[in-house]
Coordinates of all heavy atoms in Angstrom, one line a residue:
M1 N -15.4 -34.2 60.9 CA -15.8 -35.0 59.9 C -16.2 -34.2 58.6 O -15.7 -34.4 57.6 CB -17.0 -35.9 60.4 CG -17.5 -36.9 59.3 SD -16.3 -38.3 59.1 CE -17.1 -39.3 57.9
H2 N -17.1 -33.2 58.9 CA -17.5 -32.4 57.8 C -16.3 -31.6 57.2 O -16.1 -31.6 56.0 CB -18.6 -31.4 58.3 CG -19.2 -30.7 57.2 ND1 -20.1 -31.3 56.3 CD2 -19.2 -29.4 56.8 CE1 -20.5 -30.4 55.5 NE2 -20.0 -29.2 55.7
A3 N -15.5 -31.1 58.1 CA -14.3 -30.3 57.7 C -13.3 -31.2 56.9 O -12.8 -30.7 55.8 CB -13.6 -29.7 58.9
S4 N -13.1 -32.4 57.3 CA -12.2 -33.3 56.6 C -12.8 -33.6 55.2 O -12.0 -33.8 54.2 CB -11.8 -34.5 57.4 OG -12.9 -35.4 57.4
R5 N -14.1 -33.8 55.1 CA -14.7 -34.1 53.8 C -14.5 -32.9 52.9 O -14.1 -33.1 51.7 CB -16.2 -34.4 54.0 CG -16.8 -34.8 52.7 CD -18.1 -35.6 53.0 NE -18.7 -36.0 51.7 CZ -19.5 -35.3 51.0 NH1 -20.0 -34.2 51.5 NH2 -20.0 -35.7 49.9
R6 N -14.7 -31.7 53.4 CA -14.5 -30.5 52.6 C -13.0 -30.4 52.2 O -12.7 -30.1 51.0 CB -14.9 -29.3 53.4 CG -15.7 -28.3 52.6 CD -16.1 -27.1 53.3 NE -15.5 -26.7 54.5 CZ -16.1 -26.4 55.6 NH1 -17.4 -26.4 55.6 NH2 -15.5 -26.0 56.7
H7 N -12.2 -30.7 53.1 CA -10.7 -30.7 52.7 C -10.4 -31.7 51.6 O -9.7 -31.4 50.7 CB -9.9 -31.1 54.0 CG -8.5 -31.1 53.7 ND1 -7.7 -29.9 53.6 CD2 -7.6 -32.1 53.6 CE1 -6.5 -30.2 53.3 NE2 -6.4 -31.6 53.3
F8 N -11.1 -32.8 51.7 CA -10.8 -33.9 50.7 C -11.3 -33.4 49.3 O -10.6 -33.5 48.3 CB -11.6 -35.2 51.0 CG -11.5 -36.2 49.9 CD1 -10.4 -36.9 49.7 CD2 -12.6 -36.4 49.1 CE1 -10.3 -37.9 48.7 CE2 -12.6 -37.3 48.1 CZ -11.4 -38.1 47.9
I9 N -12.5 -32.8 49.3 CA -13.1 -32.3 48.0 C -12.1 -31.2 47.5 O -11.8 -31.2 46.3 CB -14.5 -31.7 48.3 CG1 -15.4 -32.9 48.5 CG2 -15.0 -31.0 47.0 CD1 -16.8 -32.6 49.0
A10 N -11.7 -30.3 48.3 CA -10.8 -29.2 47.9 C -9.5 -29.8 47.3 O -9.0 -29.4 46.3 CB -10.5 -28.3 49.0
L11 N -9.0 -30.8 48.0 CA -7.8 -31.5 47.5 C -8.0 -32.2 46.2 O -7.2 -32.0 45.3 CB -7.3 -32.5 48.6 CG -5.9 -33.1 48.4 CD1 -4.9 -32.0 48.7 CD2 -5.7 -34.2 49.4
A12 N -9.1 -32.9 46.0 CA -9.4 -33.6 44.8 C -9.5 -32.6 43.7 O -9.0 -32.8 42.6 CB -10.7 -34.4 45.0
A13 N -10.2 -31.4 43.9 CA -10.4 -30.4 42.9 C -9.0 -29.8 42.5 O -8.7 -29.6 41.3 CB -11.3 -29.3 43.4
A14 N -8.2 -29.6 43.5 CA -6.8 -29.1 43.2 C -6.0 -30.1 42.4 O -5.4 -29.7 41.4 CB -6.1 -28.8 44.5
M15 N -6.2 -31.3 42.7 CA -5.4 -32.3 41.9 C -5.9 -32.4 40.5 O -5.1 -32.6 39.6 CB -5.5 -33.7 42.6 CG -4.6 -33.8 43.8 SD -4.9 -35.3 44.8 CE -4.1 -36.4 43.7
A16 N -7.2 -32.4 40.4 CA -7.8 -32.5 39.0 C -7.4 -31.4 38.1 O -7.3 -31.6 36.9 CB -9.3 -32.6 39.1
S17 N -7.2 -30.2 38.7 CA -6.9 -29.1 37.8 C -5.4 -28.8 37.8 O -4.9 -27.8 37.3 CB -7.6 -27.8 38.3 OG -7.2 -27.5 39.6
S18 N -4.6 -29.6 38.5 CA -3.2 -29.4 38.5 C -2.6 -29.5 37.1 O -2.7 -30.5 36.4 CB -2.5 -30.5 39.4 OG -1.2 -30.6 39.1
P19 N -1.9 -28.4 36.7 CA -1.3 -28.5 35.4 C -0.3 -29.6 35.3 O -0.1 -30.2 34.2 CB -0.6 -27.1 35.3 CG -1.0 -26.3 36.5 CD -1.6 -27.2 37.5
L20 N 0.4 -29.9 36.4 CA 1.4 -31.0 36.3 C 0.7 -32.3 35.9 O 1.2 -33.0 35.1 CB 2.0 -31.1 37.7 CG 3.2 -32.1 37.8 CD1 4.4 -31.5 37.0 CD2 3.6 -32.4 39.2
L21 N -0.4 -32.6 36.6 CA -1.1 -33.9 36.3 C -1.6 -33.9 34.9 O -1.6 -34.9 34.1 CB -2.2 -34.2 37.3 CG -1.7 -34.5 38.7 CD1 -2.9 -34.7 39.6 CD2 -0.9 -35.8 38.6
I22 N -2.2 -32.7 34.5 CA -2.8 -32.7 33.1 C -1.6 -32.8 32.1 O -1.7 -33.5 31.2 CB -3.5 -31.3 32.9 CG1 -4.8 -31.4 33.8 CG2 -3.8 -31.1 31.5 CD1 -5.5 -30.0 33.9
G23 N -0.5 -32.2 32.4 CA 0.6 -32.3 31.5 C 1.1 -33.7 31.4 O 1.4 -34.1 30.3
T24 N 1.2 -34.4 32.4 CA 1.7 -35.8 32.3 C 0.7 -36.7 31.6 O 1.1 -37.7 31.0 CB 2.1 -36.4 33.7 OG1 1.1 -36.2 34.6 CG2 3.4 -35.8 34.2
S25 N -0.6 -36.4 31.8 CA -1.5 -37.4 31.2 C -1.9 -37.1 29.8 O -2.3 -37.9 29.0 CB -2.8 -37.4 32.1 OG -3.4 -36.1 32.0
M26 N -1.6 -35.8 29.4 CA -2.1 -35.5 28.0 C -0.9 -35.2 27.1 O -1.1 -35.3 25.9 CB -2.9 -34.2 28.0 CG -4.2 -34.5 28.9 SD -5.6 -33.5 28.6 CE -5.7 -33.1 26.9
A27 N 0.3 -35.0 27.6 CA 1.4 -34.7 26.7 C 1.8 -35.9 26.0 O 1.7 -37.0 26.5 CB 2.6 -34.1 27.5
A28 N 2.4 -35.8 24.8 CA 2.9 -36.9 24.0 C 4.1 -37.5 24.7 O 4.8 -36.7 25.4 CB 3.3 -36.4 22.6
P29 N 4.3 -38.8 24.7 CA 5.5 -39.3 25.3 C 6.7 -38.6 24.8 O 6.8 -38.3 23.6 CB 5.5 -40.8 24.9 CG 4.1 -41.0 24.4 CD 3.6 -39.7 23.9
S30 N 7.7 -38.5 25.7 CA 8.9 -37.8 25.2 C 9.8 -38.8 24.5 O 9.7 -40.0 24.6 CB 9.7 -37.3 26.4 OG 10.0 -38.3 27.4
A31 N 10.7 -38.2 23.7 CA 11.6 -39.0 22.8 C 12.7 -39.6 23.7 O 13.1 -39.0 24.7 CB 12.2 -38.2 21.8
V32 N 13.1 -40.8 23.4 CA 14.2 -41.5 24.1 C 15.5 -40.7 23.9 O 15.8 -40.3 22.7 CB 14.4 -42.9 23.6 CG1 15.7 -43.5 24.2 CG2 13.2 -43.8 24.0
A33 N 16.2 -40.3 25.0 CA 17.4 -39.6 24.8 C 18.5 -40.6 24.6 O 18.5 -41.7 25.2 CB 17.7 -38.8 26.1
E34 N 19.5 -40.3 23.8 CA 20.6 -41.2 23.5 C 21.5 -41.4 24.7 O 22.2 -42.4 24.8 CB 21.4 -40.8 22.3 CG 20.6 -40.9 21.0 CD 21.4 -40.4 19.8 OE1 22.5 -40.0 19.9 OE2 20.8 -40.3 18.7
N35 N 21.4 -40.5 25.7 CA 22.2 -40.7 26.9 C 21.5 -41.3 28.0 O 22.0 -41.4 29.1 CB 22.9 -39.3 27.3 CG 21.8 -38.3 27.6 OD1 20.6 -38.5 27.6 ND2 22.3 -37.1 27.9
D36 N 20.2 -41.8 27.7 CA 19.5 -42.5 28.7 C 20.2 -43.8 28.9 O 20.8 -44.4 28.0 CB 18.1 -42.8 28.0 CG 17.2 -43.8 28.7 OD1 17.6 -45.0 28.8 OD2 16.1 -43.4 29.1
P37 N 20.3 -44.3 30.2 CA 21.1 -45.5 30.5 C 20.7 -46.7 29.6 O 21.6 -47.4 29.1 CB 20.9 -45.8 31.9 CG 20.4 -44.5 32.5 CD 19.7 -43.7 31.4
T38 N 19.4 -46.9 29.4 CA 19.0 -48.1 28.6 C 19.4 -47.9 27.2 O 19.9 -48.8 26.5 CB 17.5 -48.2 28.7 OG1 17.1 -48.2 30.0 CG2 17.0 -49.5 28.0
A39 N 19.3 -46.6 26.7 CA 19.7 -46.3 25.3 C 21.1 -46.5 25.1 O 21.6 -47.1 24.1 CB 19.3 -44.9 25.0
Q40 N 21.9 -46.1 26.1 CA 23.4 -46.3 26.0 C 23.8 -47.8 26.0 O 24.6 -48.2 25.2 CB 24.1 -45.6 27.1 CG 24.1 -44.1 26.8 CD 25.0 -43.3 27.8 OE1 25.1 -43.7 28.9 NE2 25.6 -42.3 27.3
S41 N 23.1 -48.6 26.8 CA 23.5 -50.0 26.9 C 23.1 -50.7 25.6 O 23.7 -51.7 25.2 CB 23.0 -50.7 28.1 OG 21.6 -50.7 28.1
L42 N 22.1 -50.2 24.9 CA 21.6 -50.9 23.7 C 22.2 -50.2 22.5 O 21.9 -50.6 21.3 CB 20.1 -50.8 23.6 CG 19.3 -51.7 24.7 CD1 17.8 -51.4 24.6 CD2 19.6 -53.1 24.4
G43 N 23.0 -49.2 22.7 CA 23.6 -48.5 21.5 C 22.5 -47.8 20.7 O 22.7 -47.6 19.5
Y44 N 21.4 -47.3 21.3 CA 20.4 -46.6 20.6 C 20.8 -45.3 20.0 O 21.4 -44.5 20.7 CB 19.1 -46.4 21.5 CG 18.1 -45.5 20.8 CD1 17.2 -46.1 19.9 CD2 18.0 -44.2 21.2 CE1 16.2 -45.2 19.3 CE2 17.0 -43.4 20.6 CZ 16.2 -43.9 19.6 OH 15.2 -43.1 19.0
K45 N 20.5 -45.1 18.7 CA 20.7 -43.8 18.1 C 19.4 -43.4 17.4 O 18.7 -44.2 16.8 CB 21.8 -43.9 17.0 CG 23.2 -44.2 17.5 CD 23.8 -43.0 18.2 CE 25.1 -43.4 18.8 NZ 25.5 -42.6 20.0
S46 N 19.0 -42.1 17.6 CA 17.8 -41.7 17.0 C 17.9 -41.6 15.4 O 16.9 -41.5 14.8 CB 17.4 -40.3 17.5 OG 18.3 -39.4 17.2
D47 N 19.1 -41.7 14.9 CA 19.3 -41.8 13.5 C 20.2 -43.0 13.2 O 21.4 -43.0 13.6 CB 19.9 -40.5 13.0 CG 20.0 -40.5 11.5 OD1 19.9 -41.6 10.8 OD2 20.3 -39.4 10.9
A48 N 19.7 -44.0 12.6 CA 20.5 -45.3 12.4 C 21.8 -45.0 11.7 O 22.7 -45.8 11.8 CB 19.6 -46.3 11.6
A49 N 21.9 -43.9 10.9 CA 23.1 -43.6 10.2 C 24.2 -43.3 11.2 O 25.4 -43.4 10.8 CB 22.9 -42.3 9.3
R50 N 23.9 -43.0 12.4 CA 25.0 -42.7 13.4 C 25.3 -43.9 14.3 O 26.0 -43.7 15.3 CB 24.5 -41.5 14.2 CG 24.6 -40.2 13.5 CD 24.4 -39.0 14.3 NE 23.0 -38.8 14.8 CZ 22.6 -39.1 16.0 NH1 23.4 -39.5 16.9 NH2 21.3 -39.0 16.4
V51 N 24.8 -45.1 14.0 CA 25.1 -46.2 14.8 C 26.6 -46.5 14.8 O 27.2 -46.4 13.7 CB 24.3 -47.5 14.3 CG1 24.8 -48.8 14.9 CG2 22.8 -47.3 14.5
D52 N 27.1 -46.9 15.9 CA 28.5 -47.3 16.0 C 28.7 -48.6 15.3 O 28.5 -49.7 15.9 CB 28.9 -47.3 17.5 CG 30.4 -47.6 17.7 OD1 31.1 -48.1 16.7 OD2 30.9 -47.3 18.8
K53 N 29.1 -48.6 14.1 CA 29.1 -49.8 13.3 C 30.3 -50.7 13.7 O 30.3 -51.9 13.3 CB 29.2 -49.5 11.8 CG 27.9 -48.8 11.3 CD 28.0 -48.1 10.0 CE 26.8 -47.3 9.7 NZ 26.8 -45.9 10.3
V54 N 31.3 -50.2 14.4 CA 32.4 -51.0 14.8 C 31.9 -51.8 16.1 O 32.1 -53.1 16.1 CB 33.6 -50.2 15.2 CG1 34.7 -51.0 15.8 CG2 34.1 -49.4 14.0
K55 N 31.3 -51.1 17.0 CA 30.8 -51.8 18.2 C 29.6 -52.7 17.9 O 29.4 -53.7 18.5 CB 30.4 -50.7 19.2 CG 30.3 -51.1 20.6 CD 30.2 -49.9 21.5 CE 29.7 -50.3 22.9 NZ 29.4 -49.1 23.7
F56 N 28.7 -52.3 17.0 CA 27.5 -53.0 16.6 C 27.6 -53.5 15.2 O 26.9 -53.0 14.3 CB 26.3 -52.2 16.9 CG 26.2 -51.7 18.3 CD1 26.4 -50.4 18.7 CD2 25.8 -52.6 19.3 CE1 26.4 -50.0 20.0 CE2 25.7 -52.2 20.6 CZ 26.0 -50.9 21.0
S57 N 28.5 -54.5 15.0 CA 28.7 -55.0 13.6 C 27.5 -55.7 13.0 O 27.4 -56.0 11.8 CB 29.9 -55.9 13.6 OG 29.8 -56.9 14.5
K58 N 26.5 -56.1 13.9 CA 25.3 -56.7 13.4 C 24.4 -55.7 12.6 O 23.5 -56.1 11.9 CB 24.5 -57.4 14.5 CG 23.9 -56.4 15.5 CD 22.9 -57.2 16.5 CE 21.5 -56.9 16.2 NZ 20.5 -57.5 17.1
Y59 N 24.7 -54.4 12.8 CA 23.8 -53.4 12.1 C 24.0 -53.5 10.6 O 25.2 -53.7 10.1 CB 24.2 -52.0 12.6 CG 23.6 -51.0 11.7 CD1 22.2 -50.6 11.9 CD2 24.3 -50.3 10.7 CE1 21.6 -49.7 11.0 CE2 23.7 -49.4 9.9 CZ 22.4 -49.1 10.0 OH 21.8 -48.2 9.2
Q60 N 22.9 -53.5 9.9 CA 23.0 -53.5 8.5 C 22.2 -52.4 7.9 O 21.2 -52.0 8.4 CB 22.4 -54.8 7.9 CG 23.3 -56.0 8.1 CD 22.7 -57.4 7.7 OE1 21.6 -57.4 7.1 NE2 23.4 -58.4 8.0
A61 N 22.7 -51.8 6.9 CA 22.1 -50.6 6.2 C 20.6 -51.0 6.0 O 20.3 -52.1 5.5 CB 22.8 -50.2 5.0
G62 N 19.7 -50.1 6.2 CA 18.3 -50.3 6.0 C 17.6 -50.7 7.2 O 16.3 -50.5 7.3
Q63 N 18.3 -51.1 8.2 CA 17.6 -51.5 9.5 C 17.3 -50.2 10.2 O 18.1 -49.2 10.3 CB 18.5 -52.3 10.4 CG 18.8 -53.7 9.8 CD 19.7 -54.5 10.7 OE1 20.3 -54.0 11.7 NE2 19.8 -55.8 10.5
A64 N 16.1 -50.1 10.8 CA 15.6 -49.0 11.5 C 14.4 -49.4 12.4 O 13.8 -50.4 12.1 CB 15.2 -47.8 10.6
C65 N 14.2 -48.6 13.4 CA 13.1 -48.9 14.3 C 11.8 -49.1 13.5 O 11.0 -50.0 13.8 CB 12.8 -47.8 15.3 SG 14.2 -47.6 16.5
A66 N 11.5 -48.3 12.5 CA 10.3 -48.5 11.7 C 10.1 -49.8 11.1 O 9.0 -50.2 10.9 CB 10.3 -47.4 10.6
N67 N 11.2 -50.6 10.9 CA 11.0 -52.0 10.4 C 11.5 -53.0 11.4 O 11.8 -54.1 11.0 CB 11.6 -52.1 9.0 CG 13.1 -51.8 9.0 OD1 13.8 -52.2 9.9 ND2 13.5 -51.1 7.9
C68 N 11.4 -52.6 12.7 CA 11.8 -53.6 13.7 C 10.5 -54.2 14.3 O 9.5 -53.5 14.4 CB 12.6 -52.8 14.8 SG 12.8 -53.8 16.3
Q69 N 10.6 -55.4 14.7 CA 9.4 -56.2 15.2 C 8.9 -55.5 16.5 O 7.7 -55.6 16.7 CB 9.9 -57.6 15.5 CG 8.8 -58.6 15.1 CD 9.4 -60.0 15.1 OE1 9.9 -60.5 16.1 NE2 9.3 -60.6 13.9
L70 N 9.8 -54.9 17.2 CA 9.3 -54.3 18.5 C 8.7 -52.9 18.4 O 8.1 -52.5 19.3 CB 10.5 -54.3 19.5 CG 10.9 -55.6 20.1 CD1 11.9 -56.3 19.3 CD2 11.4 -55.4 21.5
Y71 N 8.9 -52.3 17.3 CA 8.3 -51.0 17.1 C 6.8 -51.0 17.0 O 6.2 -51.8 16.3 CB 8.9 -50.4 15.8 CG 8.6 -49.0 15.5 CD1 9.1 -47.9 16.2 CD2 7.7 -48.6 14.4 CE1 8.8 -46.6 16.0 CE2 7.4 -47.3 14.1 CZ 7.9 -46.3 14.9 OH 7.6 -45.0 14.6
Q72 N 6.2 -50.0 17.8 CA 4.8 -50.0 17.8 C 4.1 -48.7 17.2 O 3.0 -48.5 17.4 CB 4.3 -50.1 19.3 CG 4.7 -51.5 19.9 CD 4.5 -51.6 21.4 OE1 4.4 -50.6 22.1 NE2 4.6 -52.8 21.9
G73 N 5.0 -48.0 16.5 CA 4.4 -46.8 15.9 C 3.7 -47.2 14.6 O 3.8 -48.3 14.1
K74 N 2.9 -46.2 14.1 CA 2.2 -46.5 12.9 C 3.1 -46.2 11.7 O 4.0 -45.4 11.8 CB 0.9 -45.6 12.8 CG -0.1 -46.1 13.8 CD -1.5 -45.4 13.5 CE -1.8 -44.1 14.0 NZ -1.5 -43.2 14.9
A75 N 2.8 -46.9 10.6 CA 3.6 -46.6 9.4 C 3.5 -45.1 9.0 O 2.4 -44.5 9.0 CB 3.1 -47.4 8.2
G76 N 4.6 -44.5 8.7 CA 4.6 -43.1 8.4 C 4.8 -42.2 9.6 O 5.2 -41.0 9.4
D77 N 4.7 -42.6 10.8 CA 4.9 -41.8 12.0 C 6.4 -41.6 12.1 O 7.2 -42.4 11.8 CB 4.4 -42.5 13.2 CG 2.9 -42.4 13.4 OD1 2.2 -41.7 12.5 OD2 2.4 -42.9 14.4
A78 N 6.8 -40.4 12.6 CA 8.2 -40.1 12.8 C 8.8 -40.8 14.0 O 10.0 -41.0 14.1 CB 8.3 -38.6 13.0
S79 N 7.9 -41.2 14.9 CA 8.4 -41.9 16.1 C 7.2 -42.8 16.7 O 6.1 -42.6 16.3 CB 8.8 -40.9 17.2 OG 7.8 -40.1 17.6
G80 N 7.6 -43.7 17.6 CA 6.6 -44.5 18.1 C 7.1 -45.3 19.3 O 8.3 -45.3 19.6
P81 N 6.2 -45.9 20.1 CA 6.6 -46.6 21.3 C 7.4 -47.9 21.0 O 7.3 -48.5 19.9 CB 5.3 -47.0 22.0 CG 4.2 -46.3 21.3 CD 4.7 -46.0 19.9
C82 N 8.3 -48.2 21.9 CA 9.1 -49.5 21.8 C 9.0 -50.0 23.2 O 9.3 -49.3 24.2 CB 10.5 -49.2 21.4 SG 11.6 -50.6 21.7
P83 N 8.7 -51.3 23.4 CA 8.6 -51.9 24.8 C 9.9 -51.8 25.6 O 9.9 -51.8 26.8 CB 8.2 -53.3 24.6 CG 8.4 -53.6 23.1 CD 8.4 -52.3 22.4
L84 N 11.0 -51.6 24.9 CA 12.3 -51.5 25.7 C 12.4 -50.2 26.3 O 13.2 -50.0 27.2 CB 13.5 -51.8 24.7 CG 13.5 -53.2 24.1 CD1 14.8 -53.3 23.2 CD2 13.4 -54.3 25.1
F85 N 11.7 -49.2 25.9 CA 11.7 -47.9 26.4 C 10.3 -47.5 26.8 O 9.7 -46.7 26.1 CB 12.3 -46.9 25.4 CG 13.7 -47.2 25.0 CD1 13.9 -47.9 23.8 CD2 14.8 -46.8 25.7 CE1 15.2 -48.2 23.4 CE2 16.1 -47.2 25.3 CZ 16.3 -47.8 24.1
A86 N 9.8 -48.0 27.9 CA 8.4 -47.8 28.4 C 8.1 -46.4 28.6 O 8.9 -45.7 29.2 CB 8.2 -48.6 29.6
G87 N 7.0 -45.9 28.1 CA 6.6 -44.5 28.3 C 7.3 -43.5 27.4 O 7.0 -42.3 27.6
K88 N 8.2 -43.9 26.5 CA 8.9 -43.0 25.7 C 8.7 -43.4 24.2 O 8.2 -44.5 24.0 CB 10.4 -43.0 26.0 CG 10.6 -42.5 27.5 CD 11.9 -41.8 27.6 CE 11.9 -41.1 29.0 NZ 13.2 -41.0 29.6
E89 N 9.2 -42.6 23.3 CA 9.1 -43.0 21.9 C 10.5 -43.0 21.3 O 11.3 -42.1 21.6 CB 8.2 -42.0 21.2 CG 6.7 -42.1 21.6 CD 5.8 -41.6 20.6 OE1 6.2 -40.8 19.7 OE2 4.6 -42.0 20.6
V90 N 10.6 -44.0 20.4 CA 11.9 -44.0 19.7 C 11.6 -43.5 18.3 O 10.5 -43.5 17.8 CB 12.4 -45.5 19.6 CG1 12.8 -46.0 20.9 CG2 11.4 -46.4 18.9
S91 N 12.7 -43.0 17.7 CA 12.6 -42.4 16.3 C 12.4 -43.5 15.3 O 13.0 -44.6 15.4 CB 13.8 -41.6 16.0 OG 13.9 -41.4 14.6
A92 N 11.5 -43.3 14.3 CA 11.3 -44.3 13.3 C 12.6 -44.6 12.5 O 12.8 -45.7 12.0 CB 10.2 -43.8 12.3
K93 N 13.5 -43.6 12.5 CA 14.8 -43.7 11.8 C 15.8 -44.3 12.7 O 17.0 -44.4 12.3 CB 15.2 -42.4 11.3 CG 14.3 -41.8 10.2 CD 15.0 -40.5 9.6 CE 15.2 -39.5 10.7 NZ 15.8 -38.2 10.3
G94 N 15.5 -44.5 14.0 CA 16.5 -44.9 15.0 C 16.9 -46.4 14.9 O 16.4 -47.1 14.0
W95 N 17.7 -46.8 15.7 CA 18.2 -48.2 15.8 C 18.8 -48.5 17.1 O 19.4 -47.6 17.7 CB 19.2 -48.5 14.7 CG 19.6 -49.9 14.5 CD1 19.1 -50.8 13.7 CD2 20.7 -50.6 15.2 NE1 19.7 -52.0 13.8 CE2 20.7 -51.9 14.7 CE3 21.7 -50.2 16.1 CZ2 21.7 -52.9 15.1 CZ3 22.6 -51.1 16.5 CH2 22.6 -52.5 16.0
C96 N 18.6 -49.8 17.6 CA 19.4 -50.2 18.7 C 19.8 -51.7 18.5 O 19.2 -52.3 17.6 CB 18.6 -50.0 20.0 SG 17.5 -51.4 20.5
S97 N 20.6 -52.2 19.4 CA 21.2 -53.5 19.2 C 20.2 -54.6 19.5 O 20.5 -55.8 19.2 CB 22.4 -53.7 20.0 OG 22.1 -53.5 21.4
A98 N 19.0 -54.3 19.9 CA 17.9 -55.3 20.1 C 17.1 -55.4 18.9 O 16.0 -56.1 18.9 CB 17.1 -54.9 21.4
Y99 N 17.5 -54.8 17.8 CA 16.7 -54.8 16.6 C 16.4 -56.2 16.1 O 17.3 -57.1 16.1 CB 17.5 -54.1 15.5 CG 16.9 -54.1 14.1 CD1 15.9 -53.2 13.7 CD2 17.2 -55.2 13.2 CE1 15.3 -53.3 12.5 CE2 16.6 -55.2 12.0 CZ 15.6 -54.3 11.6 OH 15.0 -54.4 10.4
V100 N 15.1 -56.4 15.8 CA 14.7 -57.7 15.2 C 13.9 -57.3 13.9 O 12.9 -56.6 14.0 CB 13.8 -58.5 16.2 CG1 13.4 -59.8 15.5 CG2 14.4 -58.7 17.5
K101 N 14.4 -57.9 12.8 CA 13.7 -57.5 11.6 C 12.2 -58.0 11.6 O 11.9 -59.1 12.0 CB 14.4 -58.2 10.4 CG 14.0 -57.8 9.0 CD 14.8 -58.5 8.0 CE 14.3 -58.3 6.6 NZ 13.7 -57.2 6.2
R102 N 11.4 -57.1 11.2 CA 9.9 -57.4 11.2 C 9.7 -58.4 10.1 O 10.2 -58.2 8.9 CB 9.1 -56.1 10.9 CG 7.6 -56.3 11.0 CD 6.9 -55.1 10.9 NE 7.0 -54.2 12.1 CZ 6.6 -52.9 12.1 NH1 6.2 -52.4 11.1 NH2 6.8 -52.3 13.3
A103 N 8.9 -59.4 10.4 CA 8.7 -60.5 9.4 C 7.8 -60.0 8.3 O 6.9 -59.2 8.5 CB 8.1 -61.7 10.1
Ligands
SF4_1 FE1 14.2 -49.5 17.7 FE2 13.7 -52.1 17.7 FE3 15.6 -51.1 19.2 FE4 13.1 -50.7 19.8 S1 14.1 -52.6 19.8 S2 14.7 -49.1 19.8 S3 12.1 -50.4 17.8 S4 15.5 -51.1 16.9

């Protein structure tokens, strides 16, 4: 009993100081990669200028994540969260086919 409690404490201490856990809890979310399966299916580009305008004819100049209704970054930020890419950040200059103009 005593030994298993000590083992538990040692394990908890090891986990608390694990660089891996600290890294995942404190590091900034990673940027969405264009070759991510969700990004590919939505035609996401980190720079709206590179959107496939033939495939995504709904794209209009001036549209970007920064002025999309789903974008959750702050004004002026280079990137921010988007609910379509949980745990990652999209570029403020990016675009995908789920774009909805912010009202
Ligand atoms: Fe950007 Fe909007 Fe597409 Fe999210 S839904 S990636 S904010 S254009």
Side-chain angles (χ1 to χ4, degrees):
M1 185 68 180
H2 190 71
S4 72
R5 184 160 183 267
R6 223 180 17 229
H7 179 74
F8 172 77
I9 290 168
L11 192 68
M15 284 173 72
S17 62
S18 158
L20 187 72
L21 289 178
I22 289 170
T24 48
S25 61
M26 300 202 33
S30 58
V32 171
E34 290 176 6
N35 61 3
D36 169 296
T38 310
Q40 282 190 329
S41 68
L42 292 171
Y44 171 79
K45 295 286 178 207
S46 60
D47 183 348
R50 289 189 288 105
V51 167
D52 183 341
K53 294 164 189 84
V54 176
K55 200 167 164 192
F56 300 104
S57 55
K58 68 173 252 182
Y59 170 78
Q60 287 175 5
Q63 294 182 346
C65 292
N67 56 43
C68 170
Q69 218 165 60
L70 284 90
Y71 184 69
Q72 296 169 345
K74 290 194 274 335
D77 281 359
S79 63
C82 166
L84 299 185
F85 300 97
K88 299 209 169 150
E89 290 204 338
V90 295
S91 164
K93 294 186 303 179
W95 186 90
C96 89
S97 59
Y99 175 88
V100 181
K101 189 176 170 35
R102 188 175 286 168

